[in-house]
Amino acid sequence: MKVLTSTNATRVAAAAVVVGLLTAGLSATGLATAAQAAELPVGSSRVGVLSTSGDVHIKEGTLHASWLENVSTGIEKFEVAGDRVGVLDTGGRLWVKEGNLWAGWAHQADGVEDFRLAGHRIGIVRTDGTAAVKEGGLQAGWSEQANGVREVEITPDRIGIVGHDGSVNVKEGGLDAGWVPQIGGVADLELSGDRVGVLRTDGTVAVKESNLWSDWVEQTNGVTDLELSGSHIGVVLANGLATVKEGNLYSAWVNQLGDAKDIEISGDRIGVLRTNGTAVVKDGGVYGPWVEQTNGVEQLRLATAAPASAAGHVTINDITAVYGSAYATDTVAAGLPGLNEVMAQKGITTPTRKAAFLATLKHESGFRYNAGEAGSTAPYRGRGFIQLTGQYNYQSAGASLGHDFLNNPSDAASLQWSARIAGWYWTVARNINAAADAYDMGAVGRAIGYSYALDPTESNNRCASYKRALAHFNGGSLPVPESAINCNR
């Protein structure tokens, strides 16, 4: 996210007007709000702008929809994320609403300098440099995070901070998780899915994906603005060119347009704020047509619903949105039809069941139907999506599925059988759907039976992967408090 500070002197005088407008909205609707922030309905999208006069306008639907004015005058910064809208007035007061655009505002905090929205999390940086994050409903309490903070970034399961000294730390999991140092010399931090991106003070950009200890991959230089969203990376170069890449971290850049000041990406929408204050947005990804939006714009924000998979199926976009573009391979794509067929047959169709299943496959095989147990030459070594291992399991799977895996063990890693074995193990050999229904990744782990000797942190890593997928399939936020999820095997 970017911070574009207003220079309009009339805003200070207008702050009192904003407070009156927002408070009036509260008195009309009360402070009761939804317990959890919901994602926008499938197919819905929002475009929001903050004008140079301090007015926030938001449209919902197509790029040709009419603008709706939510707050008039005196707004310093605003955000749209899912069905939440947040505004920070010139007096440092933060207000957030959720639901439809006519919902009432809930006061969140005073003395705020900057803020972020993501799922059912809200993050703030106060004027004294302290950072805090809340999780849950709009009336949830704040959890203090750090001091000496210049910028905060949040996702449904990550929190990142940039210190006044340019250092970056990121945590993953709960609000009380430990910080993992990342890099220094940073001007701007971006988080999306399992990607971390930094714009350094020297104008270079680097991005990492997967876990917080992954290596950085250099992207480009001469950058003034950075945006991460799913498998997209967008930058504005010093010469005003907005350019975007999609896919893995080594993909080619696709130039968008010039005279750009800020780039925003959400779903398959790309928006650019030009240096002359006009905003333009396109649907359809990097090659879509531009649609002019309005002028006199100081900030541009986009929000889109998570794409619906056909018949509830898991797509390659789902996998890359949750776990990064490293999994956008032909092998992964080739195995998805068989996986989707088995998931439908075995009732692995709810958000928590899909999340537990995919998190398990991520760590067992990297979603590769032909994965084999590294370093083993045993005839009944781990094979396939769920790493079928041992003579007993090969025999049992064969008896249930009507195939001789004992004499044809390599078939366990074939397109024909790999997904069917995974479905058999999940629901016949074990009753893992029940563990998923209880949000018990510890029980899922016990049923799968991986080795602690290889990685003592395996349980927490699998649980983190589960939470990411659960938030994705639940529309951007966890359906239960994080404390209700058991990670201990």
Side-chain angles (χ1 to χ4, degrees):
M1 296 294 180
K2 275 64 63 181
V3 178
L4 303 175
T5 304
S6 170
T7 57
N8 191 321
T10 62
R11 293 196 183 179
V12 175
V17 176
V18 177
V19 174
L21 289 169
L22 294 170
T23 305
L26 286 174
S27 63
T29 60
L31 290 175
T33 56
Q36 300 278 338
E39 190 62 27
L40 289 168
V42 171
S44 296
S45 299
R46 288 177 177 178
V47 179
V49 295
L50 173 63
S51 72
T52 54
S53 60
D55 302 335
V56 171
H57 301 266
I58 298 176
K59 64 168 61 177
E60 189 169 271
T62 72
L63 295 178
H64 301 279
S66 300
W67 293 100
L68 299 172
E69 183 175 289
N70 275 44
V71 183
S72 298
T73 69
I75 301 304
E76 186 72 22
K77 299 166 186 174
F78 87 109
E79 294 282 343
V80 290
D83 73 345
R84 282 183 170 179
V85 180
V87 295
L88 178 63
D89 68 33
T90 52
R93 290 170 287 263
L94 175 63
W95 308 78
V96 178
K97 65 164 64 179
E98 63 184 8
N100 63 49
L101 295 178
W102 295 270
W105 295 94
H107 176 251
Q108 298 298 301
D110 295 321
V112 177
E113 184 174 276
D114 196 13
F115 75 101
R116 297 290 184 269
L117 306 178
H120 60 282
R121 284 181 169 179
I122 304 173
I124 59 172
V125 177
R126 302 186 184 95
T127 53
D128 63 3
T130 58
V133 177
K134 65 163 59 179
E135 187 170 55
L138 296 182
Q139 306 309 318
W142 292 101
S143 172
E144 298 299 320
Q145 296 297 309
N147 51 33
V149 176
R150 189 183 73 218
E151 177 189 357
V152 64
E153 290 291 335
I154 57 175
T155 71
D157 75 335
R158 284 182 173 177
I159 302 171
I161 55 173
V162 181
H164 288 299
D165 61 356
S167 63
V168 170
N169 287 271
V170 179
K171 64 169 62 176
E172 185 172 76
L175 301 183
D176 299 321
W179 294 103
V180 179
Q182 297 296 304
I183 199 170
V186 172
D188 181 41
L189 170 68
E190 292 288 320
L191 303 178
S192 179
D194 67 350
R195 284 183 170 180
V196 181
V198 293
L199 169 59
R200 300 186 184 97
T201 53
D202 65 2
T204 58
V205 166
V207 179
K208 63 165 60 178
E209 63 185 2
S210 188
N211 62 62
L212 297 179
W213 294 268
S214 297
D215 293 330
W216 294 98
V217 178
E218 298 297 324
Q219 298 297 309
T220 189
N221 53 29
V223 175
T224 61
D225 185 49
L226 169 66
E227 174 80 352
L228 297 187
S229 179
S231 62
H232 292 86
I233 304 173
V235 298
V236 176
L237 302 178
N239 62 5
L241 175 65
T243 185
V244 177
K245 65 166 59 178
E246 181 180 17
N248 64 50
L249 298 181
Y250 302 93
S251 298
W253 295 97
V254 180
N255 293 340
Q256 298 298 300
L257 50 75
D259 195 29
K261 177 182 179 181
D262 175 40
I263 186 166
E264 294 286 326
I265 307 173
S266 181
D268 67 349
R269 279 188 170 178
I270 300 173
V272 169
L273 174 60
R274 300 189 183 97
T275 55
N276 65 2
T278 57
V280 60
V281 181
K282 61 165 66 176
D283 278 318
V286 294
Y287 299 106
W290 293 104
V291 179
E292 297 292 333
Q293 296 298 299
T294 189
N295 53 25
V297 176
E298 186 173 326
Q299 292 177 28
L300 169 68
R301 297 289 183 261
L302 305 177
T304 57
S309 303
H313 285 182
V314 174
T315 68
I316 196 71
N317 288 336
D318 289 320
I319 291 175
T320 57
V322 178
Y323 299 122
S325 59
Y327 299 101
T329 68
D330 291 342
T331 300
V332 174
L336 279 177
L339 275 180
N340 279 312
E341 181 179 357
V342 165
M343 291 171 72
Q345 292 171 351
K346 302 298 184 180
I348 310 172
T349 53
T350 66
T352 185
R353 291 182 180 185
K354 289 196 289 188
F357 190 65
L358 292 182
T360 299
L361 268 56
K362 174 182 183 286
H363 289 265
E364 290 283 301
S365 62
F367 307 110
R368 293 176 295 124
Y369 68 88
N370 58 359
E373 185 179 352
S376 177
T377 58
Y380 303 116
R381 60 185 177 272
R383 289 186 176 94
F385 279 121
I386 212 159
Q387 292 293 275
L388 185 72
T389 307
Q391 181 175 344
Y392 174 80
N393 283 326
Y394 273 75
Q395 184 175 8
S396 298
S400 180
L401 297 174
H403 185 73
D404 184 5
F405 291 115
L406 284 180
N407 290 311
N408 302 279
S410 62
D411 287 356
S414 67
L415 268 178
Q416 180 180 0
W417 294 105
S418 187
R420 296 173 68 181
I421 290 171
W424 163 79
Y425 191 89
W426 196 264
T427 59
V428 179
R430 305 288 188 273
N431 182 21
I432 304 181
N433 275 340
D437 291 343
Y439 303 102
D440 191 348
M441 274 302 288
V444 172
R446 290 193 298 274
I448 296 298
Y450 46 83
S451 171
Y452 280 119
L454 296 176
D455 185 355
T457 66
E458 182 73 3
S459 292
N460 287 334
N461 291 339
R462 291 192 182 215
C463 201
S465 296
Y466 164 72
K467 291 174 186 176
R468 280 199 209 101
L470 180 58
H472 173 79
F473 290 115
N474 192 57
S477 62
L478 295 174
V480 295
E482 193 164 8
S483 59
I485 297 172
N486 177 45
C487 296
N488 298 320
R489 177 177 161 183

